[in-house]
């Protein structure tokens, strides 16, 4: 009788526990079913929606690319027709005088935006071109020249390059009332569209009327058909493709496969000679967006499930301990941040003091550089004055006052030149204040040699001059040009100090630019890297501060030219000063 009374309370206490456990399990099963149904429906709806959105964007991009390509082709199609009527080019072909034709084509190419422009004579020879390296090329058998000469319309030509890719050009013949004079060829730069397409995730190709790919984001596709191009990019086998298709469970059925990836294919017709543009867009963005939403949903359900287990576990004490520990860590972090703020304020004050010291040091450095520049530029006239004064003293001692007066006159000229140099150095701080005038390069060279006469006479250097028959004029400041010439002559004299038979050759030539070359028979130049840098010199201490070539290079650059240096074929160094030549009052541009 005792056993039944003992077991009855135990049965009553265990029943609520079993009931509670059964409800928890049922709730967990229901929650998992809801999660599965929700994820499945979300995947189906979002896949359709995002795929359609991706297709719409791909169609919009394809229409935009097609419009840009067609606009570029139509823009350049009218150029040969306009240039074929240019009277200047026609006159150049009639008179065979193409001295200004290249410059005229260069002025057109920047406004037109074409890749290059060539003017061809009646025999197919390039007589003017925006790319000077192509002057003199023969295009007698080129399709764009032959078709243009035979036709009285603008001809569009696609030519395959030897290095890969294609060239696109418009051509048209030039004629007068009696005969065909030549042709004009305008190359269209369509490679820039491939470079622009390379920055997107889509694969793009353009095919001509025969189905041959002429433009593509993949360089291996050019010259192939679409089928051959895709065949190169297919997966290694059907099993691998099936595995990929099974793995991409968030995507719709693929149009084709590219590099083993399922892609959607979009095609658009370009209203130009039967061209078509095709793009391939992957489902990567669709998968990423759908998977992101699904991950958020699953994470939300996981958090909900975690919260449910947390509520059932009732571990409030552990949570409070965690909060207290985080609060202590935050207090420690706050104190550390205060210390860092104080340290940054101290460093900021130190930085301000350092900036003031640096500014003062920069001022002192600028003052030192200016003093060195003044010393270098005045050293040459002072040396010449010393020589003339010694000669005048000797002439007066020999009772030859007339010749001494000539030396005093030269000293007066040197004093005037020193004043001009100081005015020029003061003008370095303000750009654009000098007024240029035509300068005869031959006269400037004669004046520079006259200034260097004492050094030349003392060193017994043989001077060889090669001058053109006609005077050579440039637009600039004669004083500054003479300053560059004197620096070049002095460097040549210094380079021949160790030579038994010193020789300096001066050549003045006129072409597209005025070129003054100074060659010596010294040891040559060993380091070209810092040759035109300030304070760089190979001379002994006291012979120079390394500012001559730096100042000369700055002067030539201000005059629109350039100063170069190289070693001669027979030894020695060659310095060339190139300046824009002045032809009939018009300054030629290089």
């Amino acid at each position: 009788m005792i056993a039944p009374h003992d077991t009855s309370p135990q049965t009553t206490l265990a029943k609520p526990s079993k009931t509670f456990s059964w409800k928890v399990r049922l709730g967990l099963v229901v929650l998992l079913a809801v999660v599965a149904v929700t994820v499945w429906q979300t995947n189906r709806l979002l896949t359709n929606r995002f795929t359609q959105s991706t297709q719409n964007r791909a169609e919009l991009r394809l229409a935009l690319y097609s419009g840009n390509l067609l606009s570029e082709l139509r823009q350049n199609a009218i150029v040969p027709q306009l240039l074929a009527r240019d009277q200047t080019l026609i006159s150049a072909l009639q008179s065979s005088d193409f001295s200004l034709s290249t410059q005229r084509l260069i002025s057109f190419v920047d406004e037109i935006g074409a890749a290059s422009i060539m003017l061809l004579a009646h025999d197919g020879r390039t007589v003017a071109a925006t790319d000077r390296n192509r002057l003199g090329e023969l295009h007698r058998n080129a399709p764009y020249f032959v078709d243009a000469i035979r036709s009285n319309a603008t001809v569009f030509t696609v030519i395959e390059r030897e290095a890969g890719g294609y060239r696109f050009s418009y051509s048209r013949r030039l004629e007068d009332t009696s005969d065909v004079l030549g042709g004009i060829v305008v190359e269209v730069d369509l490679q820039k569209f491939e470079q622009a397409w390379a920055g997107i995730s889509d694969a793009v190709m353009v095919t001509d009327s025969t189905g041959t790919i002429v433009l593509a984001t993949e360089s291996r596709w050019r010259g192939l058909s679409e089928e051959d191009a895709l065949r190169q990019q297919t997966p290694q086998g059907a099993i691998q493709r099936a595995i990929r298709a099974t793995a991409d469970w968030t995507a719709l059925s693929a149009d084709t496969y590219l590099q083993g990836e399922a892609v959607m294919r979009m095609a658009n017709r370009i209203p130009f000679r039967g061209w078509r543009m095709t793009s391939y867009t992957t489902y990567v963005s669709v998968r990423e967006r759908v998977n992101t939403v699904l991950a958020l949903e699953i994470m939300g359900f996981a958090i909900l499930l975690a919260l449910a287990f947390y509520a059932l576990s009732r571990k409030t004490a552990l949570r409070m301990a965690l909060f207290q520990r985080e609060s202590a860590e935050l207090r420690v972090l706050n104190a550390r941040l205060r210390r860092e703020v104080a340290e940054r304020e101290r460093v900021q004050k130190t930085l301000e003091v350092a900036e003031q010291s640096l500014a003062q040091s920069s001022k002192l450095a600028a003052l030192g550089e200016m003093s060195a520049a003044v010393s270098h530029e005045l050293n040459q006239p002072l040396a010449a004055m010393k020589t003339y004064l010694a000669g005048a003293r000797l002439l007066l001692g020999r009772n030859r006052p007339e010749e001494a007066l000539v030396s005093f006159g030269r000293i007066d000229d040197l004093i005037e030149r020193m004043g001009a140099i100081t005015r020029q150095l003061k003008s370095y701080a303000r750009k654009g204040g000098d007024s240029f005038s035509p300068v005869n390069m031959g006269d400037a060279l004669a004046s520079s040699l006259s200034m260097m006469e004492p050094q030349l006479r003392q060193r017994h250097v043989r001077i060889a001059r090669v001058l053109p028959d006609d005077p050579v004029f440039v637009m600039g400041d004669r004083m500054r040009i003479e300053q560059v010439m004197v620096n070049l002559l002095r460097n040549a004299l210094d380079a021949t100090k160790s030579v038994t038979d010193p020789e300096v050759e001066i050549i003045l030539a006129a072409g597209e630019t005025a070129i003054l070359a100074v060659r010596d028979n010294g040891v040559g130049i060993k380091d070209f890297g810092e040759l035109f840098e300030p304070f760089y010199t190979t001379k002994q201490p006291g012979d120079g501060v390394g500012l001559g070539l730096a100042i000369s290079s700055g002067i030539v650059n201000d005059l629109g030219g350039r100063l170069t240096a190289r070693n001669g074929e027979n030894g020695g160094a060659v310095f060339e000063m190139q300046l824009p030549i002045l032809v009939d009052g018009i300054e030629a541009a290089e």
Side-chain angles (χ1 to χ4, degrees):
M1 296 301 294
I2 297 175
H5 292 284
D6 293 336
T7 56
S8 178
Q10 295 176 357
T11 304
T12 304
L13 293 174
K15 185 175 181 181
S17 178
K18 293 181 179 180
T19 303
F20 179 78
S21 178
W22 176 80
K23 290 182 179 180
V24 172
R25 293 177 182 177
L26 179 61
L28 181 59
V29 171
V30 173
L31 180 61
L32 292 177
V34 171
V35 170
V37 174
T38 304
V39 170
W40 177 263
Q41 290 294 332
T42 303
N43 169 65
R44 186 175 63 85
L45 295 176
L46 292 182
T47 299
N48 294 332
R49 179 180 177 182
F50 291 155
T51 301
Q52 184 63 38
S53 176
T54 303
Q55 289 177 349
N56 294 338
R57 288 197 299 271
E59 291 176 354
L60 181 60
R61 284 196 299 268
L62 190 63
L64 180 61
Y65 297 158
S66 302
N68 292 339
L69 181 61
L70 181 62
S71 175
E72 182 73 12
L73 292 170
R74 288 179 175 176
Q75 175 183 348
N76 289 274
I78 196 64
V79 175
Q81 184 176 358
L82 297 177
L83 295 180
R85 301 175 183 177
D86 189 270
Q87 294 300 324
T88 303
L89 299 180
I90 295 175
S91 300
L93 291 173
Q94 291 173 342
S95 61
S96 299
D97 182 11
F98 309 103
S99 59
L100 299 178
S101 300
T102 294
Q103 188 62 33
R104 185 168 182 82
L105 294 182
I106 292 176
S107 64
F108 288 148
V109 74
D110 293 333
E111 299 178 358
I112 296 171
S116 65
I117 304 177
M118 295 187 298
L119 179 64
L120 308 181
H122 66 280
D123 58 349
R125 181 173 56 89
T126 303
V127 294
T130 56
D131 185 3
R132 298 180 186 271
N133 295 326
R134 306 188 67 175
L135 292 176
E137 292 181 354
L138 288 177
H139 305 270
R140 184 184 298 113
N141 299 325
Y144 48 80
F145 177 74
V146 176
D147 296 342
I149 294 299
R150 294 176 179 176
S151 175
N152 192 21
T154 302
V155 178
F156 179 78
T157 309
V158 180
I159 302 176
E160 187 173 1
R161 300 177 184 267
E162 295 181 358
Y166 291 87
R167 294 167 49 196
F168 309 89
S169 63
Y170 287 99
S171 57
R172 190 180 182 91
R173 70 184 186 187
L174 278 74
E175 57 186 359
D176 56 7
T177 56
S178 59
D179 194 8
V180 176
L181 301 176
I184 190 76
V185 179
V186 178
E187 291 193 3
V188 184
D189 183 15
L190 299 184
Q191 303 298 327
K192 61 184 180 181
F193 291 102
E194 292 184 338
Q195 299 173 1
W197 298 339
I200 61 174
S201 59
D202 295 354
V204 183
M205 66 173 63
V206 178
T207 57
D208 58 10
S209 57
T210 63
T212 303
I213 300 174
V214 295
L215 292 173
T217 53
E218 290 286 337
S219 58
R220 293 177 295 178
W221 290 357
R222 302 191 193 104
L224 304 177
S225 63
E226 182 179 357
E227 293 76 14
D228 295 337
L230 294 178
R231 193 176 298 115
Q232 290 185 353
Q233 304 293 342
T234 52
Q236 296 179 355
I239 297 178
Q240 182 179 1
R241 181 168 16 181
I243 294 174
R244 290 183 179 273
T246 305
D248 297 339
W249 62 283
T250 59
L252 296 178
S253 58
D255 297 333
T256 185
Y257 285 85
L258 183 62
Q259 295 182 348
E261 293 286 340
V263 295
M264 62 180 70
R265 179 181 180 275
M266 298 292 173
N268 187 20
R269 187 179 65 86
I270 303 175
F272 179 81
R273 298 180 179 271
W275 285 19
R276 296 183 65 86
M277 178 177 289
T278 307
S279 68
Y280 299 93
T281 306
T282 64
Y283 289 91
V284 174
S285 61
V286 175
R287 288 194 295 267
E288 290 178 351
R289 297 168 67 181
V290 172
N291 291 341
T292 300
V293 176
L294 295 181
L296 291 175
E297 285 187 351
I298 295 175
M299 184 174 62
F301 285 113
I303 292 175
L304 180 61
L305 185 61
L307 290 176
F309 281 106
Y310 179 77
L312 295 174
S313 63
R314 299 179 179 274
K315 295 182 178 180
T316 308
L318 180 61
R319 183 179 180 183
M320 293 300 298
L322 179 62
F323 285 166
Q324 291 175 359
R325 186 178 64 181
E326 289 180 353
S327 178
E329 291 177 355
L330 288 176
R331 286 193 296 270
V332 173
L333 181 60
N334 191 15
R336 185 185 306 169
L337 289 177
R338 288 198 184 98
R339 290 194 299 269
E340 290 182 359
V341 169
E343 182 66 17
R344 288 181 181 271
E345 291 178 353
R346 187 184 62 82
V347 171
Q348 185 68 24
K349 294 179 180 179
T350 306
L351 181 60
E352 292 177 357
V353 175
E355 289 177 350
Q356 294 177 359
S357 301
L358 181 60
Q360 184 66 21
S361 300
S362 299
K363 294 178 182 179
L364 294 176
L367 181 59
E369 292 179 4
M370 184 186 68
S371 301
V374 172
S375 173
H376 180 273
E377 295 302 327
L378 296 183
N379 184 46
Q380 190 67 248
L382 286 174
M385 287 173 61
K386 182 178 180 180
T387 303
Y388 285 133
L389 282 174
R393 186 182 298 109
L394 184 61
L395 292 173
L396 290 176
R398 295 180 180 180
N399 198 16
R400 295 161 64 181
E402 292 80 5
E403 298 180 12
L405 288 176
V406 175
S407 297
F408 286 133
R410 293 184 177 179
I411 292 174
D412 185 60
D413 294 339
L414 290 174
I415 292 174
E416 178 63 26
R417 180 175 183 84
M418 291 172 63
I421 289 176
T422 57
R423 290 193 300 270
Q424 172 191 331
L425 291 174
K426 288 190 296 182
S427 67
Y428 282 170
R430 51 183 191 275
K431 294 293 184 180
D434 296 332
S435 59
F436 293 162
S437 61
V439 178
N440 190 332
M441 294 290 288
D443 294 344
L445 178 60
S447 178
S448 301
L449 289 173
S450 175
M451 181 181 298
M452 296 293 298
E453 182 180 353
Q455 289 88 336
L456 296 174
R457 188 183 306 139
Q458 180 182 1
R459 288 283 310 284
H460 302 288
V461 179
R462 189 173 70 88
I463 302 295
R465 286 185 289 179
V466 180
L467 304 178
D469 297 333
D470 298 328
V472 180
F473 285 92
V474 298
M475 183 65 71
D477 185 354
R478 176 167 177 171
M479 185 66 64
R480 302 179 74 184
I481 293 176
E482 291 180 3
Q483 181 181 350
V484 176
M485 293 180 178
V486 169
N487 283 334
L488 296 182
L489 291 173
R490 183 181 180 185
N491 284 339
L493 293 180
D494 293 338
T496 57
K497 284 184 178 181
S498 60
V499 179
T500 305
D501 187 14
E503 177 183 353
V504 176
E505 183 180 6
I506 305 172
I507 301 175
L508 179 61
E512 294 185 356
T513 59
I515 301 176
L516 177 69
V518 179
R519 184 187 66 82
D520 59 71
N521 59 345
V523 296
I525 303 172
K526 297 181 181 179
D527 187 7
F528 289 91
E530 300 179 352
L531 186 61
F532 296 101
E533 294 295 329
F535 304 104
Y536 172 78
T537 180
T538 58
K539 302 176 183 178
Q540 296 297 326
D543 292 342
V545 294
L547 286 173
L549 290 179
I551 294 176
S552 300
S553 178
I555 291 174
V556 175
N557 290 336
D558 291 341
L559 297 178
R562 59 180 178 178
L563 180 63
T564 60
R566 57 182 172 86
N567 287 324
E569 297 180 356
N570 300 325
V574 180
F575 286 86
E576 288 188 357
M577 176 175 61
Q578 300 181 15
L579 294 175
I581 197 168
L582 190 65
V583 182
D584 297 333
I586 301 176
E587 188 175 1
E590 183 178 358

